[in-house]
Amino acid sequence: MITASLSMVALPLLCLGSAMLAPAAMVAPVQPGFHPVELRVVEMTNAQRIRYGLRPLRVDASLVVSARRHAAWMTRSQTLQHTHRAVGENIAWGQHSAEQVVRDWMRSPGHRANILSGRYGRIGAAAYVTPQGSIYWCQQFLP
């Protein structure tokens, strides 16, 4: 479900792999209220956690909403900047798939620390595309 604030994005498309998809409100979701690309980021993140002996994170609807709002803001402003909310957060710009963004986060010490933190138990994720085709990614974590 895309909120009214997200509809302000010029092209609120989500990217899964190399296929461009319509906003979550326009496609059949895999799970009520969640877009497949959001779940794919979570799957890839949880695969890394399991690989390192950690429990998988649970999708939290409020974090999905927060990540969507922040990804939409970054897309509208074309600014890569962390939120001011009290959450763990990974953001990125320019990757073309969930696999690529999670791989890049795992190669960055700070982002990797968020993904592999035993403190976190919940996650939300989002990705939005600018009119020029650049993708802004956001994943957020809470205990």
Side-chain angles (χ1 to χ4, degrees), residues 104-133:
D104 287 355
W105 282 331
M106 288 299 292
R107 291 178 178 163
S108 164
H111 296 103
R112 179 186 181 96
N114 279 338
I115 289 171
L116 299 180
S117 174
R119 296 180 328 174
Y120 297 132
R122 299 178 287 158
I123 187 173
Y128 283 85
V129 178
T130 67
Q132 297 78 26

Side-chain angles (χ1 to χ4, degrees), residues 36-52:
V37 72
E38 296 164 342
L39 293 175
R40 186 66 180 148
V41 169
V42 173
E43 288 171 1
M44 298 299 301
T45 298
N46 279 337
Q48 291 298 321
R49 289 177 61 85
I50 291 165
R51 179 178 176 198
Y52 289 92

